[in-house]
């Protein structure tokens, strides 16, 4: 007993990784948070190769801390008009959950606003308590720690107005703090930080992480090597190929799937990673879904975890798999219980079939089936008692008669009615269990016995309702004998199920959730959310959009025990993970594991046929980003894929529309002349669609938040644009999306040829590959051609292909122009200094769009 107590005391004194990270953050002053050089001398570039697990994990620690500092700093910038600032009504000391934090835990309540509901910060947030709102962040930083206190939100009340915090220091006067501002969403960083704990990693012994770190031998390292696949002896490769033929895949998709299936069967010493390179529109989601379906219906069972960076992305994969399963795998068995999806319900837009596999819904449904008072065991026991204990049934009948005095119920009618109740309840319970609990958990023999029991009860019910033919003793004896034999068989199966079924008997949400997570062979969640599976053992990991993840984020699912292989699907030519800190970016914190393995020579299976873009749209990105490796699918080359929404020549499948305008000064740029053009195009599209009685989806993309906001403000309610389905967002926000028409506003217009982060190749690739039928690019040709970037090539390409137009040029295609080094300004109507004429109404931050529209007209 003493030993246990001493051990508990020792563990109580040891900091958890989360506490260690919170303490590190608490050690920073706000002056430190705003210091961009705080970690500059400490952050080293994350190398390509490592000398072991410890050096691998340590390489991410400083860049990750710097990224946290940068995010906190950026969230201080909106002061004094901070959107997350909430007024504090009360702040009182509270009893902490551990002695170590005694005196540092407080209960806070936020004031309930009249005009807008003030909500408490989210659980896990790092916040700062303020005695008042500063005029600017620097003033707060220099004023000293007395005017603020950094804290960690440890719990939030259900009503959303109260929360518990652990403060960075003891607060002498709790009444002095009037506001709380959220600085950092801590939980995603904490999940990564846990994976960087070397001692914990050694205990977990994650094979895939050790391979990447160089602690385990793998033919993937050194670069370029690859072990031959070892085939199973049962002719499974031929079976897989035969199944694949039913999915109408192209050769590159088929080869990718076959390679991954073979890799999952490889033994020790083979490559632990498979990379599928999926450029835009090449069917990544379909390829993943078919691969998952093959694994789901395979005789060789394994547990598979499928992840993606966002809730939206992972719900799309799960939804596509469900659709394929309905179409192709109904005869192969399986049930919804084999699949489990969890995450943010609202962001996943869970409805329809997704609801059948969503964790919270499943827990709610199984709660009644597992309940001691109403669940499966209660139903089976009720049936056993009813058929096997005559005295109990007689007592039930007598009790029913006493409750219904004056209403004589025949005993046979009571028996039939009671059996129907038991049968109906038991049938509904087991129908739900058979659809929501994996077949492997039920076991095949139990599954068959459940089906058999349902059939036997159905027949028994019919037998009870049958009239006896003849009144002779022989007929009555035969009837009684049939009843006894049927009852005996039912009791035998019922008692077998009571003995053999290993299902929970509980109403605890926690226990049911634990059962679901521990039993589902196929689990879908976000990469960050996979931290909730830390006690689960998985066999195979699939990560969709893997190139959008920081490598250290990929460690969260990769640290799960039992993993033998990982399939990474992505495209390193599109946007990587967002990194706020320039120091962390220089240290390559934003580099993905997909990108690093690719650079080291790991073979990539290229999906080389695109099914999204009209060929006129795909030409430039294919040439500029994919070295002409992508082919156009038959669906986009056929005549029916072409669309003509507006009659003017500039509104064909692909065009660059030169707009005379000037960007407004400011950190985030906007160009009101381009906003005016966009509005006029949208209005023309709306009229054309109303006339043709056809809807069309339109995406308006811009690299700058200020331009996005300006467009949204002028449009107003997007629903008013019906029958257009309209979406306005940044380039980054459109990654993974597609629309019928894309209008791209490049914004930049200046005499210096300065285009800022618009020059990013990956950002350009995303913007240029979202459209199905039409891509219309608005920009200032002189500025873009003077940038020395990919946009100079794009403008020249548009000229060469006669897809270059001047806005307002009724003649259609403009005169050909030459590259910047031989630019003839007069050819496109610019002055010798490449300045641009801007209507007076468009000048300044308060530009009047009406004035801009007055000087621009739709080409006819």
């Amino acid at each position: 007993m003493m030993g246990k107590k001493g051990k508990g005391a020792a563990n109580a004194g040891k900091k958890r990784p989360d506490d260690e990270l919170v303490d590190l953050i608490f050690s920073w002053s706000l002056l430190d948070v705003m210091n961009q050089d705080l970690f500059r001398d400490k952050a080293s570039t994350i190398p390509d190769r490592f000398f072991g697990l410890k050096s691998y994990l340590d390489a991410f620690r400083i860049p990750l801390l710097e990224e946290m500092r940068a995010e906190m700093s950026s969230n201080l910038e909106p002061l004094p008009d901070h959107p997350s600032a909430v007024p504090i009504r009360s702040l009182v000391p509270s009893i902490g959950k551990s002695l170590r934090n005694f005196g540092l835990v407080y209960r806070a309540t936020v004031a309930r606003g009249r005009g807008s509901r003030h909500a408490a910060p989210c659980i896990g947030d790092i916040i700062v308590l303020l005695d008042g709102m500063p005029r600017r962040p620097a003033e707060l930083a220099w004023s000293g720690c007395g005017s603020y206190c950094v804290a960690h939100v440890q719990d939030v009340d259900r009503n959303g107005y109260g929360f518990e915090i652990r403060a960075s220091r003891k607060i002498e006067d709790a009444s002095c703090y009037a506001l709380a501002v959220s600085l950092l969403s801590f939980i995603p960083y904490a999940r990564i930080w846990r994976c960087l704990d070397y001692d914990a990693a050694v205990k977990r012994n994650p094979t895939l992480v050790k391979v990447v770190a160089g602690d385990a031998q793998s033919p993937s390292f050194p670069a370029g090597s690859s072990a031959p696949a070892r085939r199973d002896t049962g002719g499974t490769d031929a079976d897989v190929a035969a199944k694949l033929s039913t999915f109408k895949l192209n050769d590159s998709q088929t080869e990718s799937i076959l390679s991954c299936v073979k890799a999952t069967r490889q033994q020790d010493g083979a490559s632990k990673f498979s990379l599928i390179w999926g450029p835009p529109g090449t069917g990544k989601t379909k390829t993943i879904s078919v691969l998952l379906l093959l694994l789901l219906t395979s005789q060789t069972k394994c547990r598979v975890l499928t992840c993606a960076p966002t809730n939206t992305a992972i719900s799309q994969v799960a939804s596509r798999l469900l659709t394929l399963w309905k179409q192709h795998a109904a005869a192969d068995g399986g049930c919804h219980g084999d699949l489990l999806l969890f995450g943010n319900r609202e962001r996943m837009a869970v409805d329809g079939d997704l609801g059948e596999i969503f964790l919270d819904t499943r827990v709610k449904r199984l709660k009644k089936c597992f309940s001691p008072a109403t669940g499966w065991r209660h139903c089976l026991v009720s049936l056993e008692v009813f058929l096997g204990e005559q005295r109990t049934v007689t007592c039930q009948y007598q009790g029913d008669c006493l409750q219904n005095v004056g209403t004589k119920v025949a005993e046979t009618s009571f028996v039939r009615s009671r059996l129907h109740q038991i049968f109906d309840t038991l049938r509904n319970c087991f129908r739900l269990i058979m659809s929501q609990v994996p077949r492997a958990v039920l076991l095949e023999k139990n599954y068959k016995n459940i089906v058999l029991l349902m059939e036997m009860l159905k027949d028994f019910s019919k037998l009870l309702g049958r009239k006896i033919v003849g009144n002779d003793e022989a007929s009555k004896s035969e009837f009684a004998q049939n009843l006894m034999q049927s009852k005996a068989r039912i009791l035998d199966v019922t008692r077998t199920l009571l003995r053999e079924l290993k299902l929970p008997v509980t109403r605890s949400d926690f226990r049911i959730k634990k059962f679901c997570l521990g039993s589902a062979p196929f689990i879908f969640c976000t990469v960050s959310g996979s931290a909730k599976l830390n006690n689960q053992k998985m066999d195979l990991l699939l990560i969709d959009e893997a190139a959008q993840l920081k490598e250290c984020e990929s460690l969260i699912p990769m640290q799960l025990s039992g993993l033998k292989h990982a399939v990474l699907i992505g495209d390193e030519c599109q946007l990587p993970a967002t990194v706020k800190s320039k120091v962390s970016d220089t240290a390559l914190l934003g580099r993905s594991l997909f990108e690093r393995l690719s650079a080291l020579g790991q073979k990539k299976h290229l999906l080389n046929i695109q099914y999204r873009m009209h060929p006129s749209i795909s030409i430039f990105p294919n040439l500029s980003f994919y070295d002409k490796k992508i082919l156009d699918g038959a669906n986009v080359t056929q005549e029916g894929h072409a669309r003509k929404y507006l009659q003017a020549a500039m509104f064909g499948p692909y065009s660059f529309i030169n707009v005379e305008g000037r960007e407004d000064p400011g950190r985030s740029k906007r160009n009101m002349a381009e906003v005016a053009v966009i509005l006029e195009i949208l209005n023309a599209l709306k009229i054309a669609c109303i006339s043709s009685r056809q809807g069309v989806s339109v995406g308006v993309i811009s690299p700058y938040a200020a331009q996005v906001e300006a467009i949204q403000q002028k449009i107003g309610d997007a629903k008013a644009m019906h029958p257009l389905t309209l979406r306005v967002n940044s380039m980054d926000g459109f990654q993974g999306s597609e629309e019928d028409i894309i209008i791209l506003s490049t914004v930049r217009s200046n005499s210096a040829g300065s285009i800022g982060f618009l020059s990013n190749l990956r950002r350009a690739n995303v913007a240029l590959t979202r459209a199905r039928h039409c891509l219309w690019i608005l920009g200032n040709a002189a500025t873009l051609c003077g940038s020395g970037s990919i946009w100079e090539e794009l403008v020249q390409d548009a000229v060469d292909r006669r897809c270059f137009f001047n806005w307002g040029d009724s003649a259609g295609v403009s005169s050909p122009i030459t590259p910047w080094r031989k630019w003839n300004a007069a050819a496109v109507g610019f002055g010798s200094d490449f300045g641009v004429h801007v209507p007076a109404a468009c000048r300044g931050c308060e530009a009047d769009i009406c004035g801009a529209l007055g000087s621009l007209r739709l080409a006819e």
Side-chain angles (χ1 to χ4, degrees):
M1 193 75 180
M2 288 294 292
K4 287 184 180 180
K5 196 169 185 179
K7 184 178 179 181
N11 288 337
K14 186 179 180 181
K15 289 184 181 179
R16 299 178 304 164
D18 289 13
D19 292 332
E20 179 193 39
L21 184 56
V22 170
D23 288 345
L24 276 170
I25 294 171
F26 282 175
S27 70
W28 303 338
S29 67
L30 289 191
L31 196 59
D32 291 331
V33 169
M34 298 177 67
N35 180 9
Q36 297 183 11
D37 296 323
L38 185 65
F39 290 101
R40 188 177 297 276
D41 295 335
K42 301 175 184 177
S44 302
T45 301
I46 299 170
D48 291 331
R49 299 179 186 277
F50 302 89
F51 299 105
L53 184 60
K54 190 174 190 310
S55 69
Y56 176 69
L57 299 177
D58 286 349
F60 296 100
R61 293 171 73 89
I62 295 300
L64 189 66
L65 286 174
E66 162 60 16
E67 183 65 9
M68 295 169 68
R69 180 212 64 77
E71 184 170 333
M72 292 174 67
S73 179
S74 69
N75 284 330
L76 279 172
E77 290 176 5
L79 292 174
D81 300 318
H82 205 292
S84 73
V86 293
I88 297 175
R89 187 177 67 183
S90 66
L91 184 67
V92 296
S94 178
I95 298 175
K97 296 179 181 178
S98 67
L99 293 175
R100 196 174 71 82
N101 295 328
F102 181 76
L104 298 175
V105 180
Y106 298 83
R107 295 287 305 175
T109 306
V110 300
R112 305 190 182 196
R114 293 182 179 179
S116 61
R117 179 180 180 272
H118 294 130
C122 296
I123 190 167
D125 278 3
I126 299 294
I127 66 172
V128 59
L129 305 176
L130 305 174
D131 60 0
M133 187 61 75
R135 288 175 294 181
R136 55 187 181 274
E139 178 182 298
L140 177 64
W142 285 104
S143 63
C145 64
S147 62
Y148 68 86
C149 179
V150 179
H152 177 222
V153 179
Q154 297 187 318
D155 195 15
V156 177
D157 294 346
R158 289 186 177 182
N159 61 20
Y161 295 108
F163 56 103
E164 185 176 86
I165 63 168
R166 173 194 161 199
S168 57
R169 58 181 174 80
K170 187 174 181 179
I171 300 175
E172 301 295 340
D173 182 9
S175 64
C176 73
Y177 292 115
L179 297 167
V181 175
S182 293
L183 296 183
L184 182 72
S185 180
F186 176 76
I187 291 177
Y189 288 105
R191 289 171 174 171
I192 299 172
W193 191 257
R194 288 174 217 155
C195 296
L196 303 182
D197 185 333
Y198 174 71
D199 292 335
V202 169
K203 292 179 181 178
R204 288 192 301 265
N205 192 28
T207 301
L208 298 184
V209 178
K210 291 176 70 177
V211 168
V212 175
D215 265 6
Q217 296 299 318
S218 169
S220 294
F221 304 94
S225 57
S226 178
R230 297 186 181 182
R231 297 190 176 189
D232 290 348
T233 56
T236 53
D237 288 339
D239 294 339
V240 172
K243 285 185 177 181
L244 285 177
S245 65
T246 66
F247 294 101
K248 298 180 180 179
L249 302 170
N250 63 50
D251 290 344
S252 65
Q253 292 170 330
T254 299
E255 290 171 6
S256 297
I257 293 172
L258 281 173
S259 174
C260 290
V261 171
K262 289 179 182 179
T264 61
R265 295 195 244 109
Q266 290 173 351
Q267 301 176 10
D268 292 341
S271 174
K272 299 296 183 183
F273 293 92
S274 295
L275 305 186
I276 298 178
W277 182 15
T282 54
K284 291 194 299 291
T285 305
K286 181 176 182 179
T287 303
I288 299 167
S289 303
V290 172
L291 172 60
L292 287 170
L293 185 60
L294 288 176
L295 296 171
L296 179 62
T297 58
S298 170
Q299 296 300 315
T300 305
K301 300 300 181 184
C302 64
R303 296 199 75 194
V304 181
L305 172 62
T306 304
C307 297
T310 65
N311 285 281
T312 301
I314 195 60
S315 64
Q316 288 175 351
V317 174
S319 180
R320 183 70 69 88
L321 174 61
L322 281 170
T323 301
L324 274 179
W325 185 45
K326 279 188 172 183
Q327 293 172 350
H328 295 274
D332 291 329
C335 65
H336 283 114
D338 291 327
L339 310 176
L340 186 68
L341 169 71
F342 70 87
N344 187 300
R345 188 182 192 104
E346 288 72 29
R347 292 177 185 173
M348 287 181 170
V350 172
D351 57 6
D353 285 343
L354 279 183
E356 294 292 324
I357 67 171
F358 190 66
L359 177 61
D360 293 349
T361 304
R362 180 164 296 169
V363 169
K364 186 177 180 180
R365 290 179 176 179
L366 289 178
K367 193 171 185 176
K368 186 176 181 180
C369 296
F370 290 167
S371 169
T374 61
W376 67 273
R377 179 167 284 278
H378 170 79
C379 291
L380 290 175
V381 169
S382 297
L383 180 62
E384 182 188 32
V385 168
F386 182 79
L387 296 179
E389 299 182 18
Q390 186 62 42
R391 289 183 181 179
T392 303
V393 177
T394 302
C395 289
Q396 291 175 353
Y397 172 66
Q398 292 171 350
D400 187 75
C401 290
L402 290 174
Q403 289 180 357
N404 298 280
V405 178
T407 303
K408 184 65 176 177
V409 179
E411 187 172 355
T412 54
S413 297
F414 171 80
V415 170
R416 288 175 183 142
S417 175
R418 179 68 181 140
L419 177 65
H420 177 75
Q421 291 175 3
I422 293 173
F423 179 30
D424 192 52
T425 303
L426 185 144
R427 177 176 54 193
N428 290 336
C429 179
F430 276 104
R431 276 180 178 173
L432 194 55
I433 285 174
M434 291 167 74
S435 70
Q436 297 292 308
V437 175
R439 180 82 68 89
V441 174
L442 288 176
L443 300 181
E444 194 63 30
K445 61 180 180 179
N446 290 329
Y447 187 90
K448 291 179 179 178
N449 277 333
I450 292 171
V451 174
L452 176 62
L453 181 60
M454 298 301 107
E455 290 296 326
M456 293 169 68
L457 284 172
K458 185 178 179 181
D459 293 340
F460 188 71
S461 181
K462 289 179 180 178
L463 186 61
L464 276 178
R466 187 183 305 165
K467 290 184 178 181
I468 302 174
V469 179
N471 292 321
D472 58 286
E473 291 299 322
S475 297
K476 292 180 180 179
S477 176
E478 182 183 0
F479 179 74
Q481 186 178 4
N482 289 338
L483 280 178
M484 291 298 292
Q485 290 176 350
S486 181
K487 184 174 74 170
R489 289 194 296 269
I490 291 173
L491 279 171
D492 183 56
V493 175
T494 300
R495 288 164 181 164
T496 299
L497 286 172
L498 279 169
R499 186 173 59 253
E500 300 292 338
L501 269 179
K502 306 299 181 184
L503 295 176
V505 179
T506 180
R507 283 188 58 82
S508 166
D509 287 358
F510 174 78
R511 288 187 62 191
I512 298 172
K513 186 175 290 188
K514 185 177 179 181
F515 167 80
C516 292
L517 290 172
S519 61
F522 283 70
I523 297 178
F524 299 82
C525 63
T526 62
V527 169
S528 180
S530 67
K532 297 179 181 179
L533 302 171
N534 60 336
N535 294 320
Q536 299 298 324
K537 185 176 181 180
M538 309 300 293
D539 299 299
L540 176 65
L541 171 66
L542 272 76
I543 303 181
D544 188 22
E545 303 293 358
Q548 294 182 31
L549 289 167
K550 302 180 185 76
E551 182 172 350
C552 55
E553 288 179 286
S554 299
L555 293 179
I556 301 174
M558 281 173 57
Q559 55 85 34
L560 296 179
S561 64
L563 286 174
K564 303 176 183 67
H565 194 80
V567 180
L568 308 182
I569 305 99
D571 177 14
E572 70 265 50
C573 294
Q574 294 197 62
L575 284 173
T578 301
V579 177
K580 293 181 178 293
S581 165
K582 292 182 179 179
V583 173
S584 296
D585 192 37
T586 302
L588 301 182
L589 180 67
R591 182 176 58 179
S592 67
L593 178 61
F594 185 99
E595 187 176 358
R596 188 160 72 82
L597 291 178
S598 176
L600 286 170
Q602 176 75 38
K603 182 180 178 181
K604 294 185 297 185
H605 300 279
L606 173 65
L607 304 180
N608 67 350
I609 300 180
Q610 72 87 15
Y611 300 96
R612 174 189 300 167
M613 296 168 277
H614 186 282
S616 296
I617 302 172
S618 66
I619 289 175
F620 184 79
N622 186 20
L623 174 65
S624 301
F625 309 117
Y626 299 103
D627 197 26
K628 299 182 182 179
K629 293 179 180 178
I630 309 302
L631 305 174
D632 293 317
N635 66 312
V636 299
T637 56
Q638 63 187 10
E639 187 176 347
H641 191 76
R643 299 285 191 278
K644 187 68 175 178
Y645 297 101
L646 297 173
Q647 292 304 310
M650 69 174 66
F651 299 117
Y654 177 81
S655 60
F656 181 90
I657 303 173
N658 181 44
V659 178
E660 293 187 3
R662 179 176 296 165
E663 66 187 56
D664 290 342
R667 183 172 181 180
S668 183
K669 309 296 182 182
R670 70 175 187 177
N671 185 320
M672 295 307 293
E674 289 186 14
V675 173
V677 174
I678 289 167
L679 246 66
E680 192 163 346
I681 293 174
L682 291 175
N683 285 325
L685 280 171
K686 178 181 177 180
I687 293 170
C689 288
I690 291 174
S691 177
S692 64
R693 297 183 181 180
Q694 292 182 345
V696 61
S697 64
V698 182
V700 180
I701 304 179
S702 177
Y704 292 98
Q707 184 76 345
V708 170
E709 183 180 358
I711 295 167
Q712 289 173 333
Q713 286 180 350
K714 296 305 179 182
I715 290 172
D717 185 4
K719 293 180 181 179
M721 298 302 296
H722 183 79
L724 302 185
T725 302
L726 182 62
R727 181 183 170 202
V728 184
N729 209 335
S730 65
M731 289 179 175
D732 297 38
F734 254 97
Q735 179 149 288
S737 301
E738 57 183 273
E739 307 292 351
D740 294 330
I741 299 172
I742 290 293
I743 304 173
L744 172 58
S745 172
T746 58
V747 179
R748 301 309 297 263
S749 179
N750 55 73
S751 59
S754 173
I755 63 171
F757 68 84
L758 180 63
S759 61
N760 183 282
L761 287 175
R762 293 181 172 187
R763 188 164 280 110
N765 186 19
V766 170
L768 297 173
T769 54
R770 302 302 100 199
R772 298 187 193 100
H773 306 296
C774 294
L775 172 61
W776 304 329
I777 305 165
L778 310 183
N780 184 283
T783 299
L784 297 180
C785 282
S787 65
S789 71
I790 190 71
W791 295 96
E792 177 182 353
E793 298 174 21
L794 182 141
V795 173
Q796 187 59 51
D797 173 75
V799 171
D800 294 341
R801 292 165 51 194
R802 298 182 65 78
C803 297
F804 182 98
F805 303 86
N806 284 312
W807 181 257
D809 183 1
S810 60
V813 180
S814 69
S815 303
I817 57 176
T818 56
W820 176 263
R821 61 183 179 273
K822 297 180 181 179
W823 187 272
N824 181 357
V828 287
F830 295 144
S832 58
D833 62 350
F834 305 107
V836 293
H837 170 71
V838 185
C842 289
R843 298 188 183 115
C845 294
E846 301 300 325
D848 179 6
I849 196 168
C850 296
L853 283 170
S855 64
L856 301 168
R857 64 184 181 81
L858 211 61
E860 298 176 354

